[in-house]
Amino acid sequence: MKRTKPKLLYVFLSVSVLLLLVLLLLKLNTNHSSQVSISKEATNRPEQIKIMIDTTHLSYIKAVSAQFEKRYGVKVDIISMDFNLLYHQIEKSLNQSNTDLDLILVDTVWTPEFARAGYLEPLRNYVQSNLRDRIIPIAYDQRIISNDLYALPELYAFPLSIEEKFLYYNEKLLKSAGIYAPPSTWEELSEMTQYMREKGLINHGLIWGWTPGEGLVCDYTLLSNALGVQSKDVNGHWIFDQGKGVKALSFMAHSLESGLSDPLSLRLSDREAVKKFAEGKTPFMIGWAYADKMLNQPADYKMSLVPGFKGYQKSSTVTGGGALSITRTSRHKDWAWKFIDLMNSSRDQVSPKDYIGSIPVWNDQISDFENSDKYLNRNLMTEQFEYAINRPNMSSYVEWSSIMQSSIESALNGKLTAKKALDQAKHKVLQQGIK
């Protein structure tokens, strides 16, 4: 048997020891890096982050916050309020030198103004490059702003819900009048209302949320679109004061005069209108998807496509929904993003659909939504989006909307004709240089 030479054995042992030392050092270094990373996160971890939202999204954000606190040990301070108060409260808070807001809920039409005012942190350092392909286009595209410094438009708010309006009807009330299907046109709805009033079953056919606020503009946009007109023409000129735009507002005003719409609508917000409708004395309501959750889906209340006008498209609705934005002034931007990231990664367990009632914004959830027996109105909700329109997308939207709200309110209260009200609105819009 051949013996190993002592010199060769010595070299072999030396190399082995050296390799063991290298592996030990690598392991120690890895553990040290991991400890440094954990230590750094623990050092930078805030006691809490602060979020400002509207009451519609409150239950959902509470659910995500509970997960966030459990995972990271960071409390979430939630400030919520009625939607009509949210814009001005966000603006007031972010203009304070000592603001501590980290995340805010941004409505679909606020993104351009808030971004250009410097309120929002662009999300380029956080979002993945293929995100746009994974989210419903109508939800994503409302949150992006063109920026001269970058080749592509930037995302400034991460969509968490997308809304649209529907027709809700009281099936029990309709059946009591011998009506077994919801109206497919506004003309049919008017005829049904008149018939039920003549039988003494109802006082009014429709309830709306027409208190002074954004709801007025949403419903005017919905009805204008039903007549085939938008607020601007293809060249970007305002045309809401012409022909069909005037006809849409005239319809709103006449519906109050004729008894089709309940005059109480002028004092109700969207959510208050749902509560009034739930009393069971009015056959129809135009409301957002969250109304379905508020009504708790009893057998009496059903959802249908918003009617169209005869001779025009089958239906019409207007979009809405919320997104979360990281504030530019946040001292905890990375943790604010962790909240958004957790919201996204846990979307199958904590879905906005289950808490708000709105349609999911992720493509992978849409297919699950459409094929799930859990959601009774899933096919109707996706079909309604075929007839959806966005409100104008511009940085001065809130100023424009404020002018429109005032003029629409004047027409609904009978102070001005629809034509004069919209002429007045256009004069103010042009005077202020709103484009």
Side-chain angles (χ1 to χ4, degrees), residues 226 267 309 380 391 422:
R267 302 198 301 272
F309 289 101
L380 184 147
R391 286 160 284 168
L422 294 176

Side-chain angles (χ1 to χ4, degrees), residues 20 45 58 62 107 124 136-137 156 196 223 229 256 267 284 289 319-320 337 341-342 370 376 395 430:
L20 286 171
R45 182 186 292 126
L58 180 58
K62 276 186 173 181
D107 186 54
R124 78 180 82 97
I136 298 172
Y156 277 85
M196 295 176 75
L223 290 166
V229 66
L256 291 166
R267 302 198 301 272
F284 304 111
T319 62
W337 174 254
D341 193 43
L342 179 63
E370 290 177 336
L376 300 178
S395 59
L430 295 177

Side-chain angles (χ1 to χ4, degrees), residues 129-287:
S129 59
N130 66 342
L131 176 67
R132 193 180 189 284
D133 298 330
R134 299 163 60 200
I135 289 183
I136 298 172
I138 198 171
Y140 184 92
D141 293 344
Q142 291 174 322
R143 324 294 184 180
I144 57 175
I145 306 294
S146 297
N147 190 321
D148 294 338
L149 298 177
Y150 301 95
L152 296 173
E154 289 200 82
L155 187 69
Y156 277 85
F158 206 103
L160 59 88
S161 68
I162 184 163
E163 275 274 3
E164 55 184 339
K165 285 203 163 188
F166 302 90
L167 174 71
Y168 291 87
Y169 63 98
N170 186 323
E171 186 177 48
K172 182 179 180 180
L173 203 51
L174 292 183
K175 284 183 177 179
S176 69
I179 301 171
Y180 295 93
S184 59
T185 66
W186 284 107
E187 289 83 0
E188 280 185 10
L189 190 148
S190 298
E191 291 168 4
M192 289 179 183
T193 297
Q194 183 61 29
Y195 175 70
M196 295 176 75
R197 291 182 74 192
E198 290 172 356
K199 291 178 74 69
L201 297 172
I202 60 170
N203 292 320
H204 304 95
L206 266 167
I207 194 77
W208 307 75
W210 280 354
T211 189
E214 187 61 27
L216 289 174
V217 178
C218 289
D219 289 330
Y220 172 72
T221 302
L222 178 155
L223 290 166
S224 296
N225 183 55
L227 291 166
V229 66
Q230 300 185 21
S231 296
K232 290 182 177 181
D233 64 16
V234 292
N235 297 314
H237 299 134
W238 295 111
I239 56 170
F240 57 77
D241 62 324
Q242 300 175 21
K244 294 172 184 175
V246 176
K247 185 176 180 180
L249 183 52
S250 295
F251 176 84
M252 294 172 73
H254 180 67
S255 75
L256 291 166
E257 296 167 5
S258 66
L260 173 63
S261 297
D262 190 336
L264 184 61
S265 301
L266 297 174
R267 302 198 301 272
L268 301 177
S269 67
D270 286 320
R271 296 184 75 84
E272 290 168 339
V274 179
K275 293 176 182 178
K276 188 66 180 176
F277 178 67
E279 292 177 6
K281 298 176 183 178
T282 308
F284 304 111
M285 179 189 72
I286 300 296

Side-chain angles (χ1 to χ4, degrees), residues 23 65 146 162 275 278 338 350 368:
L23 289 172
S65 297
S146 297
I162 184 163
K275 293 176 182 178
K338 283 180 184 292
V350 184
D368 292 340

Side-chain angles (χ1 to χ4, degrees), residues 272-332:
E272 290 168 339
V274 179
K275 293 176 182 178
K276 188 66 180 176
F277 178 67
E279 292 177 6
K281 298 176 183 178
T282 308
F284 304 111
M285 179 189 72
I286 300 296
W288 297 104
Y290 64 69
D292 200 33
K293 297 292 293 182
M294 290 181 66
L295 294 168
N296 294 317
Q297 296 182 336
D300 293 349
Y301 301 108
K302 303 291 185 180
M303 180 191 284
S304 180
L305 293 179
V306 178
F309 289 101
K310 284 182 181 177
Y312 294 91
Q313 62 184 17
K314 179 180 178 180
S315 179
S316 172
T317 193
V318 62
T319 62
L324 281 185
S325 290
I326 302 173
T327 65
R328 184 68 67 91
T329 53
S330 170
R331 293 185 289 274
H332 313 298

Side-chain angles (χ1 to χ4, degrees), residues 348-364:
D348 291 332
Q349 292 77 43
V350 184
S351 171
K353 179 72 190 77
D354 297 328
Y355 288 86
I356 306 169
S358 58
I359 285 181
V361 299
W362 292 85
N363 288 328
D364 60 358

Side-chain angles (χ1 to χ4, degrees), residues 44-51 68-69 73-79 100 102 330-332 335-336:
N44 294 333
R45 182 186 292 126
E47 289 186 9
Q48 70 173 26
I49 59 172
K50 185 174 285 190
I51 301 178
F68 187 79
E69 292 178 13
V74 177
K75 294 187 178 300
V76 182
D77 183 12
I78 305 173
I79 304 169
D100 56 352
D102 299 296
S330 170
R331 293 185 289 274
H332 313 298
W335 287 92

